Amino acid sequence: MSSATPEETPAAAPAAEAGLGLRERKKLRTRQAIRAAARRLIDARGYDATTIEQIAAAAEVSPSTVFRYFRNKEQIVLRDEDYAFTGAELLRARPADEPPLVALRAAVSAMVRASYEEFNAEYRWRMELVRQVPALRAQMHEGQDKAVEVLTAALTERAGHGKDRLELRVVVGALLGGLHQVVLEWGDHDQKGDLPEMFDRALTVLEEGLTPHTPHTTPG
């Protein structure tokens, strides 16, 4: 079975490069080459035994080039597209009269489903590594902290000052934490089952029990 991810296949390359200038296309191809090399080595040697130097040699670039594109080895595996900002844009596009949790659920659900369906095989590979490798789990938690900040800011901006920022932050954190637990459960059962449907079930649980309210105000 080929280890190439969808973003590295010939069919996917033109779509990924559409609208990019020559410089941006070269950068994208370098990133793809580094990722493809990393996956080949990790599949063959294991995550811990694979070094940045080995990845650089396999991708025919220097270690300094690898570090120019990726902060560390964990970031090579955990695709660097900033899903938090994508989720924030989807959130801002939701109807203005939707309750915060309803809008957040719709935005995150759309983002997760699109990611999973577009990069199914790669997503499964990454999530299995996350389940196995503590360093990857730590990196993912760091990314979740950033996502909480970005999505809370988008919710606060969308809701205005009538909603308590702390409550919104708690809701966002609970939602992302719940999704992380779904991924772990999915991995514990050999990645069987419809992951987007499992996400939706988790979001339903959270929506039924976590509804932020407008703080009471004292009449003037």
Side-chain angles (χ1 to χ4, degrees):
M1 180 180 294
S2 170
S3 65
T5 65
E7 66 177 6
E8 296 152 3
T9 61
E17 295 180 7
L20 297 179
L22 178 61
R23 182 181 178 85
E24 287 72 23
R25 289 200 300 273
K26 287 182 177 179
K27 288 182 177 180
L28 177 61
R29 290 170 186 172
T30 300
R31 296 174 74 84
Q32 291 171 338
I34 293 169
R35 278 217 168 88
R39 178 162 182 174
R40 289 194 302 270
L41 290 170
I42 291 170
D43 284 345
R45 305 180 183 188
Y47 182 83
D48 290 333
T50 299
T51 67
I52 290 290
E53 290 73 20
Q54 292 167 347
I55 294 170
E60 299 184 345
V61 298
S62 67
S64 62
T65 296
V66 174
F67 284 118
R68 192 157 63 244
Y69 285 89
F70 303 99
R71 188 170 72 251
N72 50 39
K73 186 170 65 174
E74 289 76 30
Q75 196 178 54
I76 298 175
V77 173
L78 297 173
R79 290 177 56 200
D80 68 333
E81 286 82 356
D82 199 334
Y83 294 121
F85 287 102
T86 300
E89 290 304 311
L90 289 170
L91 188 55
R92 292 186 181 100
R94 299 298 305 172
D97 59 348
E98 275 187 339
L101 187 54
V102 174
L104 182 63
R105 173 181 177 172
V108 172
S109 180
M111 181 178 60
V112 166
R113 184 171 292 276
S115 173
Y116 175 75
E117 291 178 352
E118 186 174 359
F119 301 109
N120 192 317
E122 187 219 2
Y123 190 88
R124 288 174 177 272
W125 178 79
R126 285 189 292 119
M127 289 303 100
E128 181 59 21
L129 277 180
V130 166
R131 197 173 69 91
Q132 296 174 5
V133 180
L136 288 171
R137 289 201 297 276
Q139 182 84 25
M140 177 171 278
H141 284 306
E142 181 182 324
Q144 286 182 339
D145 288 342
K146 180 178 181 180
V148 168
E149 288 289 344
V150 172
L151 292 174
T152 299
L155 268 184
T156 303
E157 173 189 323
R158 183 178 179 279
H161 299 294
K163 295 293 182 182
D164 187 308
R165 177 181 166 84
L166 174 61
E167 289 194 1
L168 294 176
R169 185 183 183 120
V170 169
V171 169
V172 173
L175 185 147
L176 295 182
L179 297 187
H180 180 65
Q181 293 306 313
V182 169
V183 169
L184 295 179
E185 178 74 9
W186 181 62
D188 287 344
H189 291 84
D190 300 320
Q191 298 187 350
K192 294 178 181 177
D194 184 329
L195 185 59
E197 189 275 332
M198 292 172 67
F199 279 139
D200 194 62
R201 284 169 51 198
L203 293 170
T204 297
V205 170
L206 294 171
E207 186 175 345
E208 289 178 349
L210 296 168
T211 305
H213 63 275
T214 302
H216 294 293
T217 57
T218 303

